[in-house]
């Protein structure tokens, strides 16, 4: 009997202990709040992640780089170029050269012309024409008098020196950006040597490479559009201007001209899309 009671008490105690342990485990499990809203993942916009899967990567380039030369050898007294990348406009003064030596030559040339003119008049008066009526002499006589006096030569020399004086002011032949500086303020400008190089921003192109078997798609009649990483939503039309030879890797370099635009700059990464393929000849 005592054994039965002892077993019964042990069974009750074990059941209570198990029940307490179960409650403790349940409390230790964190409860999930079913009312918490799920935050949607924001899909990238076209501006953030443009689709370039069908485009070919290329580079915006300039059609030409223009050197700015000095026509005479003189010291630079004003140099308006401070650094590479500086923007210049067509006709803008970029440098001035010393004109002191030229002005001395011009003064001497004017004196020489005056002397020749005096001798010209003396020849005509020696042939009987009055000083106040030299124009009455026949044209052939006046021509011979000008030659004999050296008047024509002196006048041509003065005209040349006065024109040369304009070479002391050097202007930009095109609008663009300075990409190379070859001289500096108070340096010696030498005839025929460039002072600076300007990259032309009014004539742009895009260069890119295609596989050899894709070349027919880019022949005359193909319509291209170009976008850039900086402005992916803008589409710029392009026209094929050159197709190169096949290189050792089976690639062909293609170039297409672009119209100038404020958002297009030399060196930009471009993406070229073929909008339509020219129809094949029958």
């Amino acid at each position: 009997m005592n054994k039965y009671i002892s077993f019964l008490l042990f069974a009750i105690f074990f059941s209570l202990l198990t029940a307490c342990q179960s409650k403790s485990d349940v409390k230790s499990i964190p409860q999930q709040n079913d009312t918490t809203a799920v935050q949607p993942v924001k899909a990238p916009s076209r501006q953030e992640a443009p689709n370039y899967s069908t485009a070919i990567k290329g580079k915006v380039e300039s059609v030409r780089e223009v050197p700015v030369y000095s026509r005479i050898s003189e010291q630079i007294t004003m140099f308006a170029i401070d650094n590479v990348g500086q923007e210049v406009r067509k006709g803008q003064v970029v440098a001035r050269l010393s004109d002191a030596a030229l002005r001395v030559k011009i003064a001497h040339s004017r004196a020489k012309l005056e002397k020749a003119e005096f001798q010209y008049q003396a020849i005509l008066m020696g042939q009987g024409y009055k000083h106040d009526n030299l124009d009455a002499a026949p044209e052939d006589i006046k021509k011979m008098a000008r030659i004999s006096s050296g008047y024509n030569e002196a006048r041509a020399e003065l005209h040349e020196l006065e024109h040369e004086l304009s070479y002391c002011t050097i202007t930009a032949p095109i609008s663009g950006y300075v990409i190379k500086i070859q001289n500096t303020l108070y340096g010696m400008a030498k005839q025929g040597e460039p002072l600076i190089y300007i990259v032309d921003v009014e004539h742009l192109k895009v260069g890119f490479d295609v596989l050899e078997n894709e070349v027919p798609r880019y022949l005359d009649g193909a319509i291209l559009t170009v976008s850039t990483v900086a402005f992916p939503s803008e589409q710029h039309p392009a026209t094929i201007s050159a197709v190169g030879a096949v290189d050792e890797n089976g690639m062909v370099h293609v170039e297409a001209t672009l119209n100038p635009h404020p958002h297009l700059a030399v060196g930009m990464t471009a993406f070229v899309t073929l909008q339509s393929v020219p129809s094949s000849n029958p």
Side-chain angles (χ1 to χ4, degrees):
M1 184 67 181
N2 289 336
K3 290 182 178 181
Y4 176 76
I5 293 173
S6 298
F7 176 79
L8 183 61
L9 291 174
F10 177 80
I12 294 172
F13 176 78
F14 182 80
S15 298
L16 292 173
L17 182 62
T18 303
C20 291
Q21 183 66 30
S22 299
K23 288 183 178 181
S24 176
D25 292 340
V26 169
K27 288 181 180 180
S28 66
I29 298 175
Q31 298 297 317
Q32 211 168 9
N33 187 1
D34 293 338
T35 62
T36 302
V38 177
Q39 297 296 328
V41 177
K42 182 182 178 182
S45 64
R46 293 185 64 182
Q47 182 77 10
E48 295 170 341
N51 181 14
Y52 293 134
S53 59
T54 59
I56 298 175
K57 187 176 180 181
K59 210 80 169 175
V60 177
E61 303 169 353
S62 174
V63 173
R64 58 180 179 168
E65 297 174 358
V66 179
V68 180
Y69 292 98
S70 173
R71 297 185 180 183
I72 57 176
S73 297
E74 287 291 348
Q75 186 182 32
I76 301 172
T77 58
M78 189 280 283
F79 199 58
I81 305 303
D82 298 321
N83 48 59
V84 172
Q86 181 176 335
E87 182 180 8
V88 294
R89 306 302 300 172
K90 183 178 180 179
Q92 176 183 337
V93 176
V94 296
R96 294 188 191 277
L97 307 181
S98 173
D99 61 0
L102 266 175
R103 292 193 180 279
V104 171
K105 289 181 180 180
I106 289 173
H108 284 295
S109 182
R110 283 175 179 164
K112 183 178 179 181
L113 178 61
E114 288 178 0
K115 183 178 179 180
E117 187 174 8
F118 176 79
Q119 296 208 5
Y120 163 73
Q121 294 174 355
I123 292 172
L124 291 180
M125 287 188 293
Q127 296 189 23
Y129 297 97
K130 294 183 178 181
H131 182 270
D132 57 354
N133 195 26
L134 296 178
D135 289 340
E139 188 59 37
D140 58 337
I141 294 179
K142 289 191 290 188
K143 180 178 180 181
M144 291 301 299
R146 285 193 293 265
I147 295 174
S148 299
S149 64
Y151 177 82
N152 289 343
E153 183 180 353
R155 187 174 63 174
E157 179 184 296
L158 178 60
H159 178 74
E160 183 180 351
L161 287 173
E162 288 177 336
H163 182 68
E164 193 173 331
L165 190 63
S166 66
Y167 297 163
C168 293
T169 301
I170 302 174
T171 59
I174 61 169
S175 297
Y177 293 91
V178 177
I179 59 170
K180 191 183 297 184
I181 301 175
Q182 299 288 92
N183 217 314
T184 185
L185 180 63
Y186 303 125
M188 190 67 183
K190 296 183 179 180
Q191 183 178 5
E193 291 187 4
L195 301 176
I196 58 174
Y197 285 84
I198 302 175
V199 62
D200 187 357
V201 295
E202 295 182 345
H203 299 84
L204 299 176
K205 63 182 179 181
V206 58
F208 56 98
D209 296 325
V210 299
L211 292 171
E212 179 182 358
N213 61 352
E214 294 181 348
V215 170
R217 305 176 65 198
Y218 293 89
L219 297 180
D220 294 341
I223 299 176
L224 308 178
T225 57
V226 177
S227 60
T228 62
V229 173
F231 302 95
S233 61
E234 296 181 356
Q235 301 290 322
H236 303 276
T239 305
I240 298 294
S241 57
V243 178
V246 182
D247 65 16
E248 58 184 7
N249 298 317
M251 302 296 291
V252 177
H253 187 71
V254 180
E255 293 180 352
T257 57
L258 290 164
N259 293 326
H261 190 277
H263 292 167
L264 289 176
V266 175
M268 276 187 168
T269 300
F271 291 91
V272 182
T273 304
L274 184 61
Q275 298 295 335
S276 68
V277 180
S279 58
S280 58
N281 296 325

